[in-house]
Amino acid sequence: MKELLERRLETLAAEQQKGRQALAELDEQRAQLARTLLRIEGAMAVLGEMLANQSDASGVRSHDAGVRQVPPAADAAMPSSNGGTP
């Protein structure tokens, strides 16, 4: 009986280690994705400003330039294009 419990304990410890490693990998992926999104948002802001400046110079209002500027938090709350289902 003791041997069976020791084997089970070893199995659970190995599973725990695998879970912790997977969680660390997911945390790193999330951090990388957050950095990527930050760079994309920065690039979008720069392009939006460039378009607004060009539109202002040509006499067109900036919202007519075709740029959809939505804050990241508001974008997440918007329903998806597939009818609101995930």
Side-chain angles (χ1 to χ4, degrees):
M1 180 68 162
K2 181 179 178 183
E3 191 176 302
L4 178 64
L5 293 174
E6 288 173 346
R7 280 197 311 241
R8 182 63 178 146
L9 182 59
E10 289 173 5
T11 301
L12 289 172
E15 288 179 18
Q16 181 186 40
Q17 181 58 34
K18 285 181 186 178
R20 286 182 176 172
Q21 183 178 358
L23 186 58
E25 290 171 2
L26 288 172
D27 285 341
E28 177 57 29
Q29 287 178 355
R30 184 197 173 285
Q32 284 181 334
L33 183 56
R35 288 189 297 268
T36 299
L37 288 173
L38 208 60
R39 285 193 304 271
I40 290 170
E41 290 169 5
M44 290 174 65
V46 168
L47 291 175
E49 290 176 20
M50 291 173 68
L51 281 172
N53 288 341
Q54 285 184 350
S55 297
D56 289 344
S58 65
V60 178
R61 293 190 322 257
S62 61
H63 71 272
D64 292 338
V67 177
R68 182 180 146 234
Q69 296 182 1
V70 178
D75 197 36
M78 298 177 98
S80 63
S81 61
N82 62 1
T85 58

